Structure formats: structure tokens, C-alpha cells
């Protein structure tokens, strides 16, 4: 079972504030998730298994030619708020 | 404060943007100063389903850097995801390299003001993509993703530096190498060459490192040196007053000349690195490596050796003139026009650099162009003006950017090489100084210098010195 402190540390990394009920809930839920990862650990893999699906001789490079994307405005339209052609977000304060 | 009791340990991390046309993993232009969010696409804004493709040129420039820094190159390396949460990082992770960087174990030899050389180790170089830029306004944070995905190399030094000067010299040397080899623009104000410094202090003679403090994003060589110097004193002072150094990130406030806390560095920085599943291993074949090596541009050390031979310069002169690519190019252009290497070196180093330094300017905005300086040197070599007059002319050129010939004409500074004209001046001087003339005649021959000096003064320094000397001697002895 994950400790209360471990849940609070993960919550801090995720920038989340949890209620007492939620802490108890995630203690259980995250323990189950990690348990599943433990199961996966039994699979024999090397550290590089992630990239093994790509053959080493694959032509993996692109020539250095710039080609601007045709619809950057379209990307901006996904944003909840835009100001001065920039994505507008709530003020970011670095946590200490 | 007993600074001498302590020794500081400094390591530097440099982020250098690579001079490519397009970004690291997409075809958006790699361009500074465009309108916000115009150089963006689904890949660099992290849209679902988009996939990165490696820019070949970025890899070539990175390999070039590794060669220039005498590093080992690994034929196989792996990209990794560095996960953290910040709005200018749209994917929620930065593609970087972690456990298996493409290059490790290099070094740079730097020259110190004592005249000694010091070898500073390079731990590793790895590829990564830049993040976007956040501007913090009163009403919120504005995010511009033009920079997101710009190719970078991060160059991590060994903790080999022991004071601010060494750190400054390391950075200058690194900057110069990256500029020479056309790897990075090196424009620190635009942020395409950025430096973080790790600093700790320990009692001299002890082995164990002290707690380190990280100084972030300092944007000039001067500020790096000042910030490190300040930080060393701050840490020593803290220890001496019984405080504990806290591991934290600080920034340099150039207005107040102090370092300030940005954030405490704690275990919260868990980046959960793992190999990037969207990219294959980075394979650098020996054939490709040899090709890149063959196409290496000249490096500062090679330029220095070439200058020594080609222009018969001393070790010191050649190293000053090749300290930056711009300066070396300027010097070579001057020589190409006036064909006098030694004189060009003297004029560039003593007159031009002296004045530029005094004015706090770089060679890039010199008011005297290469051809203008060459024309001035030619006028000395042809005897049109004396070296002394040339200095006056140069002063005017530096102030006004005018050509030497127009200044000489406007001020009537042409050297007097007409024997008849000079003879009449010399006669006048002799007649005006009968007692000195008598002493000369009585055997005090060193008074020759006095007459030459007077005649030179009379001509406002414009007399041809060799001719004047000869005439004075002839007339005094006749």
C-alpha cells in the first residue's frame, strides 16, 4: 500500500491539492496501478525495448529544409484564450 | 572574510542553438524574431498523432561540435523523454538524450590571464529540443511556441574550474569554437548561447564537494564572471557565519549585482526519463562521421597556427587576432587589401581593439571598415603620411567613419617629402637656435635630436622622418 506521504509527493509533482478523502482514494487506486506495473516487470525486456521496434537501418532523417505549416492560425484556434498572437494562460508562479 | 581558506568548484552547462534552416523534429523555420506563433505546426505544438522526424543537419552540426571539442562520438545513442509540466512545453515532455548521449569525454584548452593554459574537461554533449518562450504579464502568461523544437546541443563541463576567470575563459573559448565551425550563432542576447553555472565552495585541501547552487540563464560573459564571483563570496560568507548552503537555483540580477533565489531545488524534480518511442536510435555511421570530419570548417586553434605562419605573427598576436571569427575575418581582409601583415596586426590590435574596448564595442560594429584601415596602412607604407600622423588620422576615422584620404586632405596632413621645403624649415630652426648650434659644433652631437624635434614640431609632425633626419645632419655638419 502506498503511504500517505507518497501520494502527497505525487500530487505535488502533478500540481494537485487533494482532500483527505481523495488521499485515501488515491492510496488505494495508485497502489493498484503500481501493482499492475509490477506484473509488467515480469516481462523480459532490455532497457531499450522501447526503440527495438524500429530497425537500425531505417532511413530516419529529414533534410534540413524549412516548409512553414500552412495553418498556424488553426492551431491557435484550439487555445481557450489568445492575446497578442500568443497563448494566454493564467499567471504562472514557480513553486518553491 | 577569509576567502583564501576556501576553494570554489565550478561546472558549466551551455545550451547552444544549432544553425539549421528548420527545427529539430519538424519543418518549421528555425528563425528568431518572427511574429509570435507563426513558426509552429502540429509537431512542435504537440498535437495528438503528430510524429517527430530528425533533422539531418542538426545531427551533423552536433557531430561537428563533438569533433571540435575533442569528444568521443557514440555510433549509437538514444533519444529520451524528459517529462515536466510547464506551459511552454506543449507535449508535456522535452525530447532530449539521457542515459546514452551521442558524445562524451572531450576537453577545451583555455588560456588564462597568467599566461598559463588549463585543460577543462567536457563530460558530455547531447541533443535536445528547445522549449517555447513564456512572457509573464500582469494579466497572465503569454506563450510563444516559435522556439519550441529549435535544435539544441547541451554541453556539460566537468567541475574543473576554480574561479570566475577560468569559467569566463572556458565560455569564451567554447563560444569561439562554435562560431568558427558555424555550429551556433552565439548571439547571447537572443538566447541562442545560454549558460547555467553550478557552483560550490569547500575548504582548501578537502576532497568532498560542497552543496552546489545553480545559476540560471546568464546572458553575457561579463555577467557570468560577476555572478560567479558574487556567488562564491556569498557562499563563503554564509559558511563562515555558520549557515548551511541550501541546494537551490538562483538568477543574476544585473541591476543590483547580486544573485537571487529562483527556487529551491528539491526532490520534486523527477523527470521520469524514458527512451523516446517515436524515434529510432540515433545511428551515426563511421562513413557519415568521416564525411562530417572532412567538411569541418577551420577551428580557432588552426586559424591561430595559420596566422602565425602566413603573417609571421607571435603566438600572442595570433591568438588575440583569432580569438573571434569576426575579428579574424576583419584582420584577413585588412591584410588582403594592404599586403602588410605585421602592420595590419599592430593597427588592429593596438589602435582598433584598444579603442573598441574603451568604447565597449565589438568588432562587429567597428566604425572603421577593413578597406578603410587597409587604405590608411598603404598611405604609411607609401610614405604619404608618417606613422605618427596616421594615428591622428585614425582617431578621426574612428570618430567619424570617414576615409583616411578625405581626412588627410581636409586637415592638410600630407607628409612633406619635398627636400627643398624641408630644407628651408631646418635652416630656420638652426638660425633660431644659435646657442644650441654652437654647442653642437663644439661636439655635443646628441643635440641632433633637438633640431629634428624642433623641425618636426614646426611641420606639425608632417615631415618625412627619414628625410628630415638626413637634412638636419647635412645642414648642421656643413
Amino acid at each position: 500500500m502506498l503511504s500517505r506521504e507518497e501520494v502527497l509527493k505525487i500530487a505535488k509533482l502533478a500540481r494537485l491539492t487533494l482532500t483527505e478523502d481523495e488521499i485515501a482514494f488515491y492510496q488505494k487506486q495508485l497502489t493498484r496501478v503500481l501493482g499492475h506495473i509490477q506484473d509488467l516487470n515480469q516481462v523480459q525486456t532490455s532497457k531499450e525495448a522501447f526503440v527495438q521496434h524500429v530497425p537500425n537501418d531505417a532511413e530516419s532523417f529529414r533534410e534540413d529544409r524549412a516548409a512553414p505549416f500552412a495553418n498556424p492560425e488553426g492551431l491557435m484556434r484550439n487555445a481557450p484564450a489568445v492575446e497578442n498572437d500568443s497563448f494566454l494562460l493564467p499567471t504562472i508562479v514557480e513553486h518553491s | 572574510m577569509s576567502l583564501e581558506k576556501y576553494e570554489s568548484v565550478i561546472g558549466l552547462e551551455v545550451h547552444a542553438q544549432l544553425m539549421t534552416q528548420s527545427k529539430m523534429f519538424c519543418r518549421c523555420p528555425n528563425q528568431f524574431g518572427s511574429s509570435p506563433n507563426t513558426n509552429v505546426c502540429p509537431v512542435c505544438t504537440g498535437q495528438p498523432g503528430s510524429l517527430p522526424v530528425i533533422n539531418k543537419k542538426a545531427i551533423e552540426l552536433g557531430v561537428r561540435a563533438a569533433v571540435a571539442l575533442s569528444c568521443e562520438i557514440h555510433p549509437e545513442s538514444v533519444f529520451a523523454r524528459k517529462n515536466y509540466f510547464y506551459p511552454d512545453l506543449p507535449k508535456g515532455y522535452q525530447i532530449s538524450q539521457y542515459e546514452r548521449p551521442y558524445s562524451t569525454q572531450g576537453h577545451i584548452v583555455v588560456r588564462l590571464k597568467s599566461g598559463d593554459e588549463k585543460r577543462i574537461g567536457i563530460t558530455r554533449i547531447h541533443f535536445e529540443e528547445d522549449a517555447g518562450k513564456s512572457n509573464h504579464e500582469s494579466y497572465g502568461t503569454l506563450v510563444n511556441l516559435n522556439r519550441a523544437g529549435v535544435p539544441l546541443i547541451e554541453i556539460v563541463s566537468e567541475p574543473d574550474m576554480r574561479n570566475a576567470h577560468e569559467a569566463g575563459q572556458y565560455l569564451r573559448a567554447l563560444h569561439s569554437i562554435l562560431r568558427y565551425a558555424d555550429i551556433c550563432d552565439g548571439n547571447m542576447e537572443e538566447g541562442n548561447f545560454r549558460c547555467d553555472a553550478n557552483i560550490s565552495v569547500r575548504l582548501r585541501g578537502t576532497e568532498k564537494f560542497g552543496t552546489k547552487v545553480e545559476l540560471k540563464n546568464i546572458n553575457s560573459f561579463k555577467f557570468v564572471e560577476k555572478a560567479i564571483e558574487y556567488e562564491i563570496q556569498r557562499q563563503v560568507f554564509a559558511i563562515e557565519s555558520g549557515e548551511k548552503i541550501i541546494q537551490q537555483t538562483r538568477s543574476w540580477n544585473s541591476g543590483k549585482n547580486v544573485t537571487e533565489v529562483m527556487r529551491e531545488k528539491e526532490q520534486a524534480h523527477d523527470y521520469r526519463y524514458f527512451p523516446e518511442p517515436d524515434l529510432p536510435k540515433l545511428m551515426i555511421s563511421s562513413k557519415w562521421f568521416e564525411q562530417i570530419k572532412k567538411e569541418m570548417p577551420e577551428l580557432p586553434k588552426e586559424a591561430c597556427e595559420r596566422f602565425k605562419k602566413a603573417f609571421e605573427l607571435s603566438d600572442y598576436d595570433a591568438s588575440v587576432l583569432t580569438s573571434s571569427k569576426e575579428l579574424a575575418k576583419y584582420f584577413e581582409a585588412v591584410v588582403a587589401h594592404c599586403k602588410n601583415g605585421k602592420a595590419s596586426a599592430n593597427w588592429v590590435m593596438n589602435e582598433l581593439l584598444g579603442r573598441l574596448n574603451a568604447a565597449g564595442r565589438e568588432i562587429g560594429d567597428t566604425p572603421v571598415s577593413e578597406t578603410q584601415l587597409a587604405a590608411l596602412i598603404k598611405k604609411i607604407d607609401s610614405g604619404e603620411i608618417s606613422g605618427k600622423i596616421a594615428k591622428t588620422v585614425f582617431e578621426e576615422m574612428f570618430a567619424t567613419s570617414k576615409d583616411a584620404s578625405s581626412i588627410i586632405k581636409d586637415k592638410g596632413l600630407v607628409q612633406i617629402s619635398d627636400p627643398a621645403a624641408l630644407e628651408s624649415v631646418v635652416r630656420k630652426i638652426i638660425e633660431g637656435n644659435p646657442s644650441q648650434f654652437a654647442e653642437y659644433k663644439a661636439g655635443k652631437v646628441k643635440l641632433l635630436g633637438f633640431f629634428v624635434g624642433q623641425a618636426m614640431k614646426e611641420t606639425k609632425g608632417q615631415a618625412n622622418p627619414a628625410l628630415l633626419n638626413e637634412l638636419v645632419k647635412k645642414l648642421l655638419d656643413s
Side-chain angles (χ1 to χ4, degrees):
Chain A
M1 181 88 151
L2 235 64
S3 71
R4 183 188 151 79
E5 286 65 40
E6 284 169 320
V7 169
L8 286 173
K9 182 186 165 189
I10 294 163
K12 186 179 178 188
L13 288 172
R15 305 285 197 267
L16 294 176
T17 312
L18 303 183
T19 63
E20 282 304 321
D21 286 351
E22 285 170 329
I23 293 171
F25 174 76
Y26 284 119
Q27 259 182 289
K28 276 188 215 140
Q29 195 189 58
L30 287 173
T31 303
R32 280 211 312 279
V33 172
L34 292 177
H36 180 59
I37 302 289
Q38 285 304 319
D39 292 344
L40 288 178
N41 273 346
Q42 293 167 21
V43 181
Q44 288 299 316
T45 67
S46 74
K47 252 185 201 162
E48 287 162 24
F50 281 102
V51 290
Q52 289 302 332
H53 62 286
V54 185
N56 282 346
D57 58 355
E59 184 44 83
S60 49
F61 300 109
R62 174 175 63 75
E63 290 301 324
D64 180 32
R65 272 191 292 274
F69 179 59
N71 187 15
E73 302 81 13
L75 294 170
M76 298 298 289
R77 278 200 294 275
N78 286 334
V82 169
E83 180 77 40
N84 292 336
D85 299 322
S86 298
F87 296 96
L88 175 63
L89 293 110
T91 304
I92 300 158
V93 183
E94 287 258 352
H95 288 254
S96 64
Chain B
M1 212 193 303
S2 44
L3 270 172
E4 308 74 35
K5 267 170 43 194
Y6 291 86
E7 173 178 68
S8 47
V9 176
I10 304 159
L12 297 175
E13 289 169 17
V14 167
H15 285 91
Q17 287 183 351
L18 300 172
M19 287 170 71
T20 55
Q21 298 297 315
S22 61
K23 291 188 181 179
M24 184 79 191
F25 300 116
C26 63
R27 293 195 293 169
C28 289
N30 170 12
Q31 202 171 55
F32 182 83
S34 307
S35 313
N37 295 302
T38 47
N39 301 331
V40 292
C41 76
V43 175
C44 57
T45 57
Q47 304 298 317
S50 63
L51 286 170
V53 185
I54 303 167
N55 182 340
K56 195 172 179 187
K57 179 78 180 180
I59 305 303
E60 286 172 355
L61 294 179
V63 172
R64 223 185 245 184
V67 172
L69 301 172
S70 314
C71 290
E72 234 175 79
I73 311 257
H74 304 297
E76 260 187 53
S77 62
V78 176
F79 283 101
R81 289 190 181 180
K82 178 182 181 177
N83 298 279
Y84 66 92
F85 188 70
Y86 205 72
D88 58 23
L89 189 76
K91 294 195 294 293
Y93 58 85
Q94 178 190 32
I95 303 180
S96 178
Q97 294 193 300
Y98 185 55
E99 283 179 324
R100 297 189 56 188
Y102 79 97
S103 177
T104 52
Q105 289 187 329
H107 68 269
I108 302 185
V109 176
V110 300
R111 189 184 285 267
L112 304 176
K113 62 186 166 202
S114 61
D116 293 344
E117 287 187 336
K118 177 163 178 166
R119 181 186 156 120
I120 292 164
I122 288 170
T123 316
R124 60 185 276 156
I125 315 177
H126 65 252
F127 288 110
E128 61 187 31
E129 57 177 340
D130 213 339
K133 201 157 172 36
S134 312
N135 282 310
H136 304 287
E137 303 290 344
S138 57
Y139 51 88
T141 296
L142 296 177
V143 175
N144 173 4
L145 296 179
N146 281 348
R147 200 179 70 180
V150 162
L152 292 177
I153 45 174
E154 179 173 337
I155 303 156
V156 182
S157 85
E158 291 286 315
D160 283 349
M161 289 151 277
R162 292 290 170 269
N163 55 52
H165 171 64
E166 289 180 11
Q169 290 304 88
Y170 165 81
L171 275 185
R172 286 186 184 90
L174 178 60
H175 183 264
S176 167
I177 289 170
L178 297 183
R179 286 281 302 112
Y180 261 88
D182 291 326
I183 294 163
C184 170
D185 240 351
N187 189 326
M188 294 178 84
E189 272 153 37
E190 291 180 4
N192 62 37
F193 182 93
R194 310 195 288 269
C195 172
D196 302 338
N198 289 310
I199 304 160
S200 63
V201 299
R202 63 183 174 196
L203 278 172
R204 245 174 235 288
T206 54
E207 281 291 310
K208 201 170 160 267
F209 290 141
T211 305
K212 75 176 175 189
V213 166
E214 186 177 18
L215 289 180
K216 273 270 178 212
N217 283 340
I218 324 167
N219 68 354
S220 87
F221 299 132
K222 277 246 158 63
F223 288 165
V224 170
E225 287 174 335
K226 278 182 161 178
I228 291 175
E229 220 149 88
Y230 176 88
E231 187 54 29
I232 292 168
Q233 291 191 13
R234 188 190 70 82
Q235 291 185 21
V236 168
F237 190 76
I239 293 170
E240 288 277 289
S241 16
E243 282 171 45
K244 241 184 106 181
I245 301 296
I246 306 159
Q247 187 174 345
Q248 59 188 190
T249 303
R250 300 175 73 91
S251 63
W252 174 243
N253 182 327
S254 58
K256 293 194 205 152
N257 279 325
V258 297
T259 62
E260 294 168 338
V261 186
M262 278 171 78
R263 59 171 178 255
E264 310 272 286
K265 192 146 186 169
E266 7 64 9
Q267 79 292 354
H269 278 262
D270 181 351
Y271 293 124
R272 305 175 339 266
Y273 281 99
F274 64 85
E276 166 60 85
D278 286 346
L279 288 169
K281 276 192 248 178
L282 175 59
M283 309 294 287
I284 301 165
S285 69
S286 56
K287 192 177 149 207
W288 191 18
F289 173 64
E290 289 306 323
Q291 180 72 19
I292 296 169
K293 242 170 78 176
K294 225 170 45 200
E295 289 163 5
M296 279 290 283
E298 185 179 50
L299 295 174
K301 227 171 75 191
E302 294 156 4
C304 183
E305 287 308 311
R306 182 166 62 81
F307 276 29
K308 269 160 66 180
K309 279 200 200 100
F311 310 119
E312 292 170 17
L313 299 177
S314 71
D315 205 34
Y316 176 77
D317 289 3
S319 74
V320 170
L321 290 168
T322 52
S323 61
S324 87
K325 189 176 187 175
E326 290 74 21
L327 182 60
K329 268 170 90 175
Y330 182 98
F331 169 74
E332 282 198 278
V334 174
V335 182
H337 284 104
C338 76
K339 317 276 181 232
N340 185 339
K342 192 73 209 156
S344 299
N346 285 337
W347 277 91
V348 170
M349 288 177 56
N350 301 330
E351 299 302 321
L352 182 63
L353 284 186
R355 276 171 211 279
L356 284 173
N357 287 341
R361 292 164 79 167
E362 298 285 332
I363 188 72
D365 53 29
T366 168
V368 181
S369 75
E370 300 88 323
T371 45
Q372 284 179 313
L373 178 56
L376 178 71
I377 296 170
K378 272 167 130 172
K379 289 187 192 301
I380 308 164
D381 290 348
S382 69
E384 189 183 326
I385 53 171
S386 68
K388 204 169 157 213
I389 290 288
K391 289 192 182 177
T392 315
V393 175
F394 184 78
E395 204 179 321
E396 188 77 13
M397 290 168 75
F398 193 87
T400 62
S401 289
K402 281 189 193 158
D403 283 343
S405 53
S406 79
I407 294 167
I408 292 164
K409 209 173 115 206
D410 290 352
K411 304 211 156 186
L413 294 172
V414 181
Q415 179 159 285
I416 305 166
S417 297
D418 170 14
L422 280 184
E423 201 172 311
S424 73
V425 172
V426 176
R427 282 188 194 287
K428 203 175 113 195
I429 297 294
I430 293 173
E431 280 160 24
N433 296 282
S435 57
Q436 280 87 348
F437 180 59
E439 281 179 56
Y440 178 88
K441 283 295 191 192
K444 208 170 167 188
V445 287
K446 68 175 181 200
L447 276 170
L448 176 78
F450 165 77
F451 288 100
V452 172
Q454 291 298 310
M456 196 51 108
K457 211 165 142 192
E458 182 72 20
T459 61
K460 298 193 183 77
Q462 284 167 251
N464 179 326
L467 181 63
L468 181 65
N469 241 316
E470 191 185 304
L471 276 172
V472 170
K473 197 161 169 19
K474 192 181 98 189
L475 292 173
L476 286 173
D477 292 343
S478 63

